[in-house]
Amino acid sequence: MLKVRLLQLAALVAVLTLWALITAIGVVSATALPGPRSVAVAFGDLVGSGGFWQAVGETLRGAVTGLLVAIAVGIPVGLLTGVYAAAEESSRLLLEILRSFPVIALLPVFLLVLGSTPGMKATVVFIACVFPVLLQAQYGARSVSQAVHETVRGYRIPRLLRLRRVVLPAAVPSIMTGLRLAATTSVLVAIGVEVLTTLPGIGHMIMESQQAGASARAYAYILTAGAIGYTITLLAQFAEHRLLRWRPPARAGEE
């Protein structure tokens, strides 16, 4: 583990060094690509301002709201369609069509219907996140072996208890994978909506900084978005390890 961390740190240092060299030589103008020192100074100034934290809060509010609704809808629907073949077959075409639409391309429609409001941002995040959660829950529910289903039917266990005690525990690993993907997507989509609209948040501050010619500040906000996404990934991995402590670790060579 220590060796892996050292390699990761070395790769980060190499990227920062290359970045500094490119800006120092002048391959790219400072307006298009400010140096890491300038971005670090801009980031330090932003952290001490209230507007920075307000922008972060607005982005997280829209991302978390849409993600929570996606979880509340995606997990039950995924489990039900995974357990009952008739439900999965009848909804397959509709799900394939809906998940094929690029969410950002539908943004003008949401602007017309909902307006440029925080609710619109949360709605776009919900649509982007619900399908990874739903499909992973569906896949996890289908992973229950036929022998287990026959045993449950033989003991005449009620359907609700079967879902809660048999299907849900078996589907948790797949569900956590979907949640990890959706959590990162929620922040990216929220920022994308803010970039394309007038809604407050990190995306809006990036555009505002670029228009003002403050490229270092814009890059500081971009790195902030990346840091938020990375932090969410770490939190999701931690939650997954805590919830799946009962599962034996996979051995090398196993799929």
Side-chain angles (χ1 to χ4, degrees):
M1 180 62 70
L2 179 60
K3 183 179 180 181
V4 172
R5 295 300 182 190
L6 290 175
L7 289 174
Q8 292 174 346
L9 181 60
L12 179 60
V13 171
V15 170
L16 291 176
T17 303
L18 180 61
W19 179 9
L21 286 174
I22 290 174
T23 55
I25 295 173
V27 176
V28 182
S29 66
T31 302
L33 182 64
R37 180 181 178 84
S38 300
V39 174
V41 171
F43 180 77
D45 294 338
L46 287 176
V47 170
S49 66
F52 172 80
W53 296 109
Q54 184 177 359
V56 171
E58 290 291 341
T59 297
L60 290 178
R61 184 179 305 151
V64 171
T65 302
L67 177 62
L68 291 178
V69 179
I71 292 172
V73 173
I75 292 179
V77 174
L79 292 177
L80 289 174
T81 54
V83 170
Y84 301 105
E88 190 274 332
E89 291 172 358
S90 60
S91 62
R92 183 186 303 164
L93 177 61
L94 179 61
L95 289 177
E96 290 296 330
I97 293 175
L98 292 176
R99 67 188 290 246
S100 299
F101 284 108
V103 180
I104 298 299
L106 296 175
L107 189 57
V109 177
F110 291 116
L111 284 172
L112 288 173
V113 176
L114 301 175
S116 184
T117 61
M120 185 274 293
K121 178 165 60 174
T123 301
V124 176
V125 172
F126 160 74
I127 294 175
C129 294
V130 69
F131 293 107
V133 176
L134 189 155
L135 293 175
Q136 286 295 324
Q138 186 182 85
Y139 175 78
R142 285 196 299 222
S143 67
V144 180
S145 66
Q146 188 63 32
V148 173
H149 282 300
E150 292 176 357
T151 302
V152 168
R153 282 194 294 266
Y155 282 99
R156 297 183 179 179
I157 297 176
R159 292 183 178 179
L160 185 59
L161 185 61
R162 185 192 315 171
L163 282 172
R164 188 159 52 93
R165 294 292 188 179
V166 178
V167 177
L168 183 58
V172 165
S174 294
I175 290 174
M176 291 305 301
T177 299
L179 293 183
R180 190 168 65 247
L181 295 173
T184 305
T185 301
S186 66
V187 176
L188 297 177
V189 172
I191 293 174
V193 172
E194 293 161 0
V195 168
L196 298 175
T197 64
T198 58
L199 289 171
I202 294 176
H204 181 69
M205 296 307 295
I206 292 173
M207 292 300 298
E208 189 177 85
S209 299
Q210 288 179 337
Q211 292 171 357
S215 57
R217 188 173 64 191
Y219 274 88
Y221 276 111
I222 292 173
L223 292 179
T224 300
I228 292 174
Y230 180 67
T231 302
I232 289 176
T233 300
L234 291 179
L235 292 175
Q237 289 175 348
F238 175 77
E240 183 176 0
H241 292 156
R242 296 284 294 179
L243 289 174
L244 301 179
R245 286 180 297 179
W246 52 269
R247 188 176 62 171
R251 292 174 297 186
E254 284 186 350
E255 295 292 331

